[in-house]
């Protein structure tokens, strides 16, 4: 059998070949059990929907954008997260995350099974995807984007390799996706690329426009289905706004380029570079295997993976989706490359190597190791460690002295503050930068936090009652020079300022020096 005919190999699914090892890979992908900066907000916003029994259409958590329209494209995810937390606490959130991660990895495994790759190549590819995506498998709505992107690519892989698949499922899938997370725009992009390349490829090969026209109609229907949300066509507004926002890549880490994120990871936590290196290795493998064996009968899938790889280089948040997309052509072309080398080594057409029906590794042993790793990673624990320092001491000080008001705080602390201080206090900014806050507010926050030109004017432009920032920020040096503001609490992680004429500035013993906790847990 020639290398170009690899698609005729009998498909071997990992779910049959090595179910225990697949379970172990799933646990590896889910082993990152720490909070994300937006977790407090996602749960609290979902709880508000449950309590009010309707969507919250206008903001009431901030004072810089109070009353502004709130196009919350994550409302359904937040409802699910809140319901999970209300029912089972932290364990409920962990089980929700595990379900999303498990579904993602299972769908990737199903997609790999249709590539004609050997079980060994499939398992290695799936393992690299799991390890590389683990740090970004966080308690965030993006989990649904990863899962649905994997489902879409699995369907398209079946359509590409077998020429048959229930692609109509993509229409309700896109409607659901649009209510779960703004990443639905990636799904539309995948469909557009796949449709265009399939149509062009068919024309070049004399196959006509039949498939291209069918896929085009499907893409239009899928696009229309994204408007089946409480916001209608306005569902697209915050998504497009986030893409156009010039401040996004400056203020939000996961919108920054892959190279910058790699450097920042090395400076902060060098060990984390291992995971990113696995992802970069997968991107390199994608380019290398396609260059060595360009004919694999999967040009539409290759085009999708190429575009998503570029998107990952531009913004690191796209890396997991790029890796899921790259997994299929990497497995396909790697197996074709192996087969071609066997042909050259034998000097004649190589025969397909008969693969065993089952892995030599006992599935029970693999399942046992997976369960032990899951227990060790804390999936069944009622505690969830926070991912970075938060102003726990400053918030406790405010609660102790019944201090309430408008808080200009660190961007990453916004939803933590909403959880712990609302409704008595409001925030200047939080993680809803793309759904609530005007560009001007984001720009003013950046000027203030980094002590840039215009930082001073931010202090007078809004009715701030408190400033809560890290001592290492540029804003801290600015605040120390302000005669109208007084430091009332500080520790290694946070510094709390109040207006010098406010009653908070007269609390006995201020500024109070606190001690930052070594380990803290959600909430």
């Amino acid at each position: 059998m020639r290398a170009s005919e690899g698609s005729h190999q009998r498909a071997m699914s990992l779910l049959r070949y090595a179910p225990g090892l697949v379970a172990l890979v799933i646990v590896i992908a889910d082993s990152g059990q720490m909070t994300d900066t937006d977790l407090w907000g996602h749960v609290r916003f979902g709880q508000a929907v449950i309590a009010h029994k309707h969507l919250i259409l206008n903001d009431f958590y901030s004072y810089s954008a109070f009353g502004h329209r709130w196009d919350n494209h994550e409302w359904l995810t937040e409802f699910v997260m809140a319901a999970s937390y209300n029912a089972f606490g932290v364990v409920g959130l962990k089980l929700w995350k595990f379900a999303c991660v498990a579904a993602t990895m299972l769908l990737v495994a199903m997609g790999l099974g249709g590539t004609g790759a050997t079980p060994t190549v499939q398992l290695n590819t799936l393992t690299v995807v799991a390890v590389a995506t683990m740090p970004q498998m966080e308690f965030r709505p993006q989990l649904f984007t990863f899962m649905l992107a994997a489902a879409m690519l699995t369907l398209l892989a079946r359509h590409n390799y077998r020429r048959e698949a229930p692609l109509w499922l993509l229409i309700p899938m896109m409607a659901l996706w649009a209510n779960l997370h703004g990443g639905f725009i990636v799904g539309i992009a995948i469909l557009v690329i796949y449709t265009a390349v399939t149509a062009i490829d068919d024309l070049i090969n004399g196959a006509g426009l039949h498939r291209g026209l069918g896929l085009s109609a499907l893409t239009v229907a899928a696009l229309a289905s994204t408007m089946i949300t409480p916001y209608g066509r306005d569902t697209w507004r915050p998504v497009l706004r986030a893409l156009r926002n010039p401040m996004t890549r400056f203020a939000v880490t996961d919108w920054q380029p892959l190279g910058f994120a790699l450097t920042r990871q090395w400076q902060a936590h060098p060990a984390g570079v291992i995971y990113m290196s696995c992802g970069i290795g997968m991107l390199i493998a994608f380019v290398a295997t396609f260059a060595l064996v360009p004919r694999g009968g999967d040009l539409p899938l290759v085009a999708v993976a190429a575009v998503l790889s570029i998107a990952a280089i531009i913004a690191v948040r796209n890396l997991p989706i790029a890796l899921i997309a790259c997994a299929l052509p990497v497995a396909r072309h790697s197996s074709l490359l192996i087969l071609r080398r066997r042909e050259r080594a034998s000097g004649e057409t190589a025969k397909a190597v008969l693969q065993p029906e089952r892995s030599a590794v006992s599935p029970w042993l693999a399942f046992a190791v997976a369960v032990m790793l899951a227990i060790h990673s804390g999936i069944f624990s009622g505690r969830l460690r926070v991912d970075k320092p938060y102003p726990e001491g400053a918030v406790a000080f405010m609660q102790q002295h019944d201090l309430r008001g408008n808080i200009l705080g660190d961007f990453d602390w916004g939803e933590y503050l909403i959880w712990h201080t609302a409704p008595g206090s409001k925030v200047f900014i939080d993680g809803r930068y793309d759904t609530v806050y005007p560009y001007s507010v984001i720009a003013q926050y950046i000027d203030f936090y980094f002590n840039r030109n215009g930082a001073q004017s931010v202090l007078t432009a809004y009715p701030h009652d408190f400033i809560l920032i890290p001592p290492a920020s540029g804003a801290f040096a600015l605040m120390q020079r302000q005669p109208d503001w007084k430091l009332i609490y500080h520790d290694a992680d946070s510094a709390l300022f109040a207006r010098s004429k406010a009653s908070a500035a007269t609390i006995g013993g201020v500024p109070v020096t606190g001690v930052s906790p070594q380990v803290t847990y959600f909430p």
Side-chain angles (χ1 to χ4, degrees), residues 138-153:
E138 300 174 300
F139 295 85
R140 304 177 68 181
Q142 281 89 329
L143 289 177
F144 280 124
T145 282
F146 302 155
M147 180 183 73
L148 292 171
M152 174 176 285
L153 288 165

Side-chain angles (χ1 to χ4, degrees), residues 100-146:
C100 291
V101 174
T104 301
M105 292 297 121
L106 287 172
L107 288 163
V108 173
M110 291 170 62
L112 291 171
T115 63
T118 65
T120 300
V121 170
Q122 291 183 49
L123 185 59
N124 287 332
T125 304
L126 183 65
T127 302
V128 173
V129 171
V131 172
T133 58
M134 185 272 286
Q136 288 180 273
M137 292 293 188
E138 300 174 300
F139 295 85
R140 304 177 68 181
Q142 281 89 329
L143 289 177
F144 280 124
T145 282
F146 302 155

Side-chain angles (χ1 to χ4, degrees), residues 13 72 92 171 173 259 295 337 348 356-357 389 476:
S13 170
N72 188 3
I171 298 173
M173 183 187 301
R295 295 183 180 276
L337 179 61
E348 57 185 16
E357 292 291 328
F476 181 75

Side-chain angles (χ1 to χ4, degrees), residues 246-278:
M247 276 73 74
T248 298
R249 287 174 176 79
F250 187 90
V252 185
T253 302
D254 62 0
W255 277 97
Q256 293 169 347
L258 178 59
F260 181 86
L262 184 65
T263 302
R264 187 166 180 173
Q265 181 66 57
W266 176 260
Q267 294 171 344
H269 303 287
V273 172
I274 296 173
Y275 306 105
M276 297 188 72
S277 297
C278 288

